[in-house]
């Protein structure tokens, strides 16, 4: 009985290790896309604004469901919704052109 249990544990461990070996990770040094410095026309901005509003509203709906199901507290749900509002405001300020080339964070070295 102990041998059977040990063999089962060994097979299970090998299967789990096999799944772990197949996980694909993104390259750490992969550069972010470079967006051209352009200004969108009114129609393009309107289309993107509508899409971003839909996206933010869907994400807020998901947050509300997590709150309803007890996964998130009301306070955490409110913080997440505020973050989504700030995201939408930032996108509007940037003319709905992603600004991923912002200032890089520097890490302080402890000497």
């Amino acid at each position: 009985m102990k041998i059977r249990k040990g063999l089962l544990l060994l097979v299970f461990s090998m299967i789990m290790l096999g799944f772990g070996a197949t996980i694909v990770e993104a390259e750490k040094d992969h550069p972010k896309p470079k967006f051209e410095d352009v200004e969108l026309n009114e129609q393009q901005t309107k289309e993107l604004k509508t899409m971003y509003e839909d996206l933010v509203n869907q994400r807020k709906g998901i947050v509300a469901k997590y709150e309803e199901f007890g996964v998130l507290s009301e306070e955490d749900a409110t913080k997440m919704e505020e973050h989504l509002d700030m995201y939408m405001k930032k996108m509007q300020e940037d003319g709905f052109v992603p600004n991923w080339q912002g200032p890089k964070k520097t890490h302080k070295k402890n000497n």
Side-chain angles (χ1 to χ4, degrees), residues 1-88:
M1 190 68 156
K2 287 184 179 184
I3 294 174
R4 181 183 261 177
K5 202 178 214 181
L7 186 59
L8 188 61
L9 185 60
L10 178 65
V11 170
F12 179 73
S13 298
M14 290 177 71
I15 290 171
M16 293 308 293
L17 286 172
F19 281 126
T22 60
I23 294 175
V24 177
E25 291 186 29
E27 294 179 33
K28 292 180 182 177
D29 297 328
H30 189 283
K32 292 182 179 177
K34 294 179 183 175
F35 292 95
E36 299 296 324
D37 189 19
V38 297
E39 194 169 318
L40 302 173
N41 66 37
E42 189 176 329
Q43 179 62 31
Q44 292 168 329
T45 302
K46 187 176 179 180
E47 285 181 42
L48 286 170
K49 181 178 181 181
T50 301
M51 293 177 79
Y52 274 104
E53 286 172 343
D54 290 345
L55 173 71
V56 167
N57 288 333
Q58 266 195 327
R59 292 189 70 185
K60 282 183 177 182
I62 292 169
V63 168
K65 281 295 176 186
Y66 279 136
E67 182 184 358
E68 178 185 331
F69 298 155
V71 175
L72 289 173
S73 68
E74 183 178 349
E75 180 182 345
D76 288 338
T78 301
K79 285 180 185 178
M80 292 177 83
E81 289 175 357
E82 288 172 356
H83 178 79
L84 288 167
D85 289 335
M86 288 189 310
Y87 172 74
M88 184 64 183

